[in-house]
């Protein structure tokens, strides 16, 4: 029994330490998120095995011996144990076993109080954080559900624009790895408070009702973000000063947030970082798509090439269809993806957009475009290069293949390929790494006689995408709200994603109309000459029809948003005057 107990005692603690080492190495594994309680449990169980034979030798009753071993182990953690008991009870053991018990007992008697001190210190650290929060009773506060690269980038941007705001990170744990230390160091440099508890378990209600509290569910797990948002909405629904953002791309998130009881909360917003990026890129640089064109049959031809139909590629492809509905321009787009079912998937998402009735067909008062999806083509193969030769010289290229490395390689390959023909399309590629983005923009190569730049516009880096200007003070979002207020309320703008996205698209296209110098776009609708007013209405209807079809809508005699049916998906001349007037922008 003595030998078995000491082996079990040592084995339990060794297994605990091994488990903690594995957890630390795999920082993305969130099954065990609190190393200190795990360590305490291991030392406690190890102590029970250590004390069991000692207690059994005194009474011989197994249940009583177990309880006494537990009692003795508890005393270790409250620094109320006498090592003399261990020493006296092992006097009659053989020399080697006696020494092992004494040494191991001394180790546990030292470790247990140390872990207790760690718990006490952790408690006081949490209490101190909450005290500091209470001292900022009147301060504008931003609370993040997790400490990660995205939340840090946004917090750093907020600190630059607002020196006095309070920044709080929750669910923060000291992990024994370089990345964790670095992020906690950056949070401390911002003067942020770091709570170990989950964002929904901390009571943030003790705050001035006149000062903003902005919650951001910005964790890696989107399902957890949604759950946290719903629980926060339930807890703070009587607070008019609360705002909540949840970072999630799924349709499930949209449906759940739409049905949530928001109470007095003015805004609960789903942040789709993919849609946000594409909208921002088009709003800020979309005019350049209209500049890199060639004339054909009296029209400027926008020829777009999308390489990769993942989240970003798909969103860009859908957006370009309505963006490029512009007087004096024609639009064609080729999409390349290695998925053998890419064409079928795109058609399923946008059935009427890809219908033979509209795709590549001229109908007066309807959007005009030609979309071709090339399925099963890998960008790393010779088939891809041959396809580049077959496609009409693209004026715009967008590359999004899932990884920064692949995006860089493919975009530079495309640039080099078209350089052979002395042709230079505009190229944009997704780049998440902020540190590499700027350096790669100026990447150069030598052709033995001169140094040339690839001139590829890398977009989507974390530092830019998760900035205060993009997330909290977006110009395109502000312009979209202005558009929506022409026919709806601010509450309905935030409450229904259709209103939000449709208004964003309208705001972007209006800016492009101005930059393309479409006549009378800067004149109020009622002051426009009839001919130009009607032409602008028809253009807007074509833009709107392309947008709605890109969202998956098809014609139906009665509007049904759940079924994605709309009665206005008809040529402009078939609309009544009331509906035509809605196209005044």
């Amino acid at each position: 029994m003595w030998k078995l107990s000491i082996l079990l005692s040592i084995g339990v603690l060794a297994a605990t330490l091994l488990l903690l080492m594995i957890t630390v190495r795999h920082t993305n594994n969130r099954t065990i998120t609190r190393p200190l309680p795990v360590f305490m449990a291991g030392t406690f169980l190890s102590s029970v095995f250590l004390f069991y034979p000692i207690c059994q030798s005194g009474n011989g009753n197994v249940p009583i011996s177990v309880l006494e071993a537990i009692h003795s182990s508890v005393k270790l953690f409250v620094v109320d144990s006498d090592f003399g008991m261990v020493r006296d009870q092992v006097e009659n053991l053989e020399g080697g076993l006696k020494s092992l018990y004494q040494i191991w007992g001394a180790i546990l008697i030292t470790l247990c109080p140390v872990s207790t001190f760690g718990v006490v210190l952790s408690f006081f650290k949490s209490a101190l954080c909450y005290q500091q929060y209470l001292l900022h009773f009147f301060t504008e506060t931003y609370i993040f559900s997790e400490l990660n690269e995205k939340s840090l980038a946004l917090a750093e941007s907020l600190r630059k624009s607002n020196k006095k705001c309070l920044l709080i990170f929750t669910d923060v744990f000291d992990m024994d790895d370089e990345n964790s230390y670095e992020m906690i160091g950056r949070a401390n440099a911002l003067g942020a408070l770091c709570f170990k508890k989950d964002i929904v378990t901390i009571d943030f209600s003790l705050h001035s009702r006149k000062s903003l509290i902005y919650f951001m569910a910005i964790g890696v797990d989107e399902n957890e973000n949604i759950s946290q948002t719903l629980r926060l909405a339930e807890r703070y629904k009587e607070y008019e000063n609360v705002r909540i953002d949840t970072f999630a791309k799924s349709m499930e998130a949209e449906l759940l947030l739409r049905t949530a009881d928001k109470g007095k909360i003015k805004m609960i917003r789903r942040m789709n970082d993919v849609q946000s990026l594409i909208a921002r890129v088009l709003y800020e640089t979309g005019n350049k798509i209209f500049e890199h064109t060639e004339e054909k049959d009296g029209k400027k031809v926008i020829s777009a090439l999308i390489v990769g139909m993942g989240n970003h590629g798909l969103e860009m492809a859908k957006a370009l269809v309505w963006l490029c509905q512009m007087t004096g321009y024609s639009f064609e787009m080729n999409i390349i993806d290695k998925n053998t079912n890419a064409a079928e998937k795109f058609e399923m998402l946008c059935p009427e957009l890809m219908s033979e009735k509209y795709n590549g067909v001229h109908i007066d008062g309807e959007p005009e475009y030609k979309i071709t999806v090339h399925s099963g083509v890998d960008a790393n193969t010779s088939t891809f290069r041959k396809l580049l030769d077959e496609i009409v010289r693209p004026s715009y290229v967008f590359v999004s293949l899932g990884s920064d490395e692949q995006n860089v390689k493919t975009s530079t390959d495309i640039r080099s390929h078209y350089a052979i023909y002395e042709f230079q399309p505009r190229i944009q590629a997704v780049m998440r790494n902020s540190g590499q983005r700027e350096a790669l923009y100026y990447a150069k190569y030598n052709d033995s006689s001169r140094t040339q730049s690839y001139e590829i516009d890398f977009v989507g880096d974390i530092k830019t995408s998760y900035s205060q200007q993009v997330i909290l003070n977006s110009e395109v979002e502000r312009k979209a709200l202005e558009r929506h207020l022409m026919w709806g309320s601010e509450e309905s703008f935030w409450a229904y994603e259709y209103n939000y996205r449709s208004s964003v698209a309208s705001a972007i296209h209006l800016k492009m109309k101005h930059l393309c110098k479409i006549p009378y776009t800067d004149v109020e609708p009622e002051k426009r000459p009839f001919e130009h007013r009607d032409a602008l209405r028809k253009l807007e209807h074509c833009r709107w029809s392309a947008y709605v079809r890109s969202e998956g809508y098809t014609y139906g005699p009665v509007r049904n948003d759940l079924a994605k049916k709309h009665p206005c998906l008809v040529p402009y001349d078939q609309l009544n005057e009331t509906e035509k007037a809605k196209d005044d922008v």
Side-chain angles (χ1 to χ4, degrees):
M1 179 59 67
W2 286 89
K3 292 179 180 179
L4 178 61
S5 295
I6 191 67
L7 289 175
L8 287 173
S9 179
I10 295 173
V12 165
L13 190 55
T16 300
L17 295 175
L18 180 61
L19 179 61
L20 291 175
M21 289 175 62
I22 294 173
T23 305
V24 167
R25 288 188 178 185
H26 297 79
T27 56
N28 291 330
N29 183 354
R30 297 182 60 82
T31 303
I32 298 175
T33 57
R34 294 171 172 80
L36 185 57
V38 173
F39 178 72
M40 289 187 69
T43 54
F44 177 78
L45 188 58
S46 180
S47 301
V48 171
F49 282 119
L50 174 76
F51 281 112
Y52 177 75
I54 296 175
C55 296
Q56 189 185 44
S57 64
N59 58 61
N61 188 299
V62 173
I64 293 177
S65 298
V66 171
L67 292 175
E68 288 184 355
I70 292 173
H71 177 259
S72 298
S73 299
V74 170
K75 291 174 69 177
L76 288 184
F77 287 91
V78 297
V79 199
D80 187 31
S81 181
D82 183 8
F83 183 66
M85 182 183 73
V86 176
R87 185 173 57 250
D88 295 341
Q89 292 295 328
V90 300
E91 280 296 329
N92 296 326
L93 296 179
E94 298 176 0
L97 187 58
K98 172 183 174 181
S99 298
L100 183 58
Y101 253 95
Q102 289 178 336
I103 294 171
W104 188 244
I107 291 173
L108 288 179
I109 287 174
T110 303
L111 286 178
C112 291
V114 168
S115 60
T116 301
F117 177 74
V119 171
V120 173
L121 185 63
S122 176
F123 171 78
F124 280 110
K125 183 178 179 181
S126 298
L128 181 60
C129 278
Y130 199 74
Q131 181 187 52
Q132 290 179 317
Y133 166 70
L134 295 178
L135 292 175
H136 289 81
F137 185 77
F138 297 102
T139 305
E140 187 174 300
T141 302
Y142 297 87
I143 305 169
F144 303 91
S145 66
E146 193 173 286
L147 178 63
N148 54 43
E149 289 295 335
K150 295 177 180 178
S151 61
L152 268 172
L154 182 51
E156 288 169 343
S157 177
L158 276 166
R159 178 58 76 216
K160 289 180 181 179
S161 61
N162 190 343
K163 301 292 183 183
K164 296 183 179 180
C165 72
L166 178 63
L167 302 172
I168 296 177
F169 294 98
T170 62
D171 203 19
V172 180
F173 294 96
D174 297 329
M175 303 295 288
D176 189 18
D177 68 278
E178 184 178 353
N179 187 51
S180 175
Y181 283 136
E182 181 184 347
M183 288 196 294
I184 292 175
R186 287 167 62 187
N188 291 334
L190 293 172
L193 302 182
C194 294
F195 286 87
K196 289 188 175 182
K197 290 185 177 180
D198 189 278
I199 192 171
V200 297
T201 63
I202 304 171
D203 184 7
F204 291 109
S205 62
L206 297 176
H207 198 81
S208 170
R209 295 292 186 99
K210 296 181 179 180
S211 299
L212 175 68
I213 303 181
Y214 211 130
F215 293 99
M216 298 184 195
I218 194 171
V220 176
D221 187 340
E222 291 193 359
N223 291 327
E224 185 179 18
N225 292 345
I226 299 168
S227 173
Q228 289 171 335
T229 299
L230 295 174
R231 293 171 67 183
L232 288 170
E234 177 62 28
R235 172 177 288 188
Y236 298 103
K237 62 183 179 181
E238 298 302 319
Y239 291 73
E240 296 181 1
N241 61 321
V242 166
R243 305 287 184 274
I244 306 175
D245 279 353
T246 182
F247 289 75
K249 296 185 284 290
S250 67
M251 180 60 69
E252 177 190 7
E254 179 185 349
L255 295 175
L256 288 173
L257 295 180
R258 185 188 302 175
T259 57
D261 181 9
K262 301 177 179 64
K264 297 180 180 179
I265 298 174
K266 185 176 182 180
M267 183 181 75
I268 298 180
R269 180 177 59 165
R270 179 174 77 105
M271 290 298 300
N272 185 322
D273 56 356
V274 173
Q275 294 173 357
S276 175
L277 170 63
I278 300 305
R280 176 171 58 84
V281 167
L282 294 180
Y283 185 77
E284 294 177 355
T285 66
N287 60 298
K288 296 181 180 179
I289 295 175
F290 295 91
E291 296 170 1
H292 291 70
T293 58
E294 296 181 353
E295 285 209 21
K296 181 181 179 181
D297 299 331
K299 284 191 174 183
K300 297 178 181 179
V301 180
I302 301 174
S303 177
L305 171 61
I306 307 294
V307 183
M309 205 170 67
N311 291 329
H312 291 92
L314 175 62
E315 193 65 30
M316 179 59 84
K318 291 163 56 178
L320 286 176
V321 180
W322 55 259
L323 181 84
C324 296
Q325 299 302 313
M326 195 67 68
T327 304
Y329 291 83
S330 65
F331 175 65
E332 55 191 45
M333 176 168 62
N334 286 275
I335 305 172
I336 301 175
D337 192 85
K338 68 178 181 180
N339 192 314
T340 55
N341 298 319
E344 289 84 353
K345 288 184 176 181
F346 192 62
E347 186 174 353
M348 183 190 73
L349 291 171
C350 316
E352 198 159 283
L353 190 71
M354 295 298 292
S355 168
E356 293 181 356
K357 180 179 178 181
Y358 300 103
N359 187 16
V361 178
H362 169 74
I363 303 175
D364 188 50
E366 286 278 15
E368 292 186 37
Y369 54 87
K370 174 61 178 176
I371 304 173
T372 305
V373 181
H374 306 272
S375 306
V377 179
D378 192 321
N380 297 307
T381 64
S382 59
T383 303
F384 176 74
R385 184 171 290 271
K386 292 176 183 177
L387 188 57
L388 292 181
D389 288 327
E390 296 173 7
I391 294 174
V392 176
R393 298 184 356 155
S395 57
Y396 173 73
V397 179
F398 184 79
V399 180
S400 175
L401 293 169
S403 73
D404 288 357
E405 181 181 4
Q406 187 62 52
N407 292 342
V408 171
K409 178 184 179 300
T410 302
S411 58
T412 53
D413 285 348
I414 292 172
R415 173 65 76 212
S416 298
H417 177 80
Y418 285 120
I420 298 172
Y421 305 101
E422 298 183 349
F423 175 62
Q424 192 169 358
R426 172 170 170 73
I427 301 178
Q428 288 186 316
V430 176
M431 166 62 67
R432 306 298 289 173
N433 188 298
S434 300
Q436 295 179 7
R437 175 179 175 269
E438 185 174 350
L440 283 171
Y441 180 78
Y442 297 103
K444 301 177 183 297
Y445 64 93
N446 293 315
D447 63 355
S448 75
S449 62
R450 60 185 179 178
T451 300
Q452 297 174 299
S453 171
Y454 281 106
E455 294 185 9
I456 297 169
D457 183 13
F458 293 101
V459 300
D461 66 291
I462 289 178
K463 185 177 180 180
T464 303
S465 299
Y466 291 85
S467 64
Q468 184 265 351
Q469 184 178 4
V470 171
I471 302 297
L472 304 180
N473 191 28
S474 167
E475 182 179 352
V476 63
E477 192 174 83
R478 179 167 52 82
K479 292 292 185 181
L481 179 57
E482 291 177 3
R483 305 291 307 148
H484 178 77
L485 291 177
M486 294 173 62
W487 55 79
S489 65
E490 182 174 356
E491 181 181 359
S492 64
F493 177 76
W494 299 114
Y496 299 99
E497 194 152 336
Y498 174 87
N499 294 339
Y500 177 91
R501 285 175 51 75
S502 179
S503 299
V504 166
S506 177
I508 294 171
H509 200 260
L510 179 62
K511 182 180 179 181
M512 296 306 110
K513 288 192 186 87
H514 287 305
L515 294 174
C516 289
K517 299 180 179 180
I518 304 299
Y520 290 96
T521 55
D522 55 348
V523 177
E524 294 179 5
E526 60 272 14
K527 296 181 180 179
R528 295 167 183 165
F530 174 79
E531 181 181 348
H532 289 283
R533 184 182 65 183
D534 197 59
L536 285 173
R537 284 180 174 181
K538 181 182 290 188
L539 173 59
E540 174 59 17
H541 178 69
C542 292
R543 193 279 314 168
W544 175 86
S545 295
Y547 166 76
V548 173
R549 286 178 177 137
S550 74
E551 292 293 298
Y553 278 74
T554 59
Y555 172 78
V558 179
R559 179 169 178 175
N560 187 329
D561 288 326
L562 186 61
K564 291 194 171 184
K565 296 289 184 180
H566 207 294
C568 292
L569 283 172
V570 295
Y572 174 75
D573 290 337
Q574 294 183 22
L575 297 174
N576 59 44
E577 290 303 315
T578 301
E579 293 299 336
K580 287 181 179 180
K582 292 180 181 180
D583 288 318
D584 281 330
V585 294

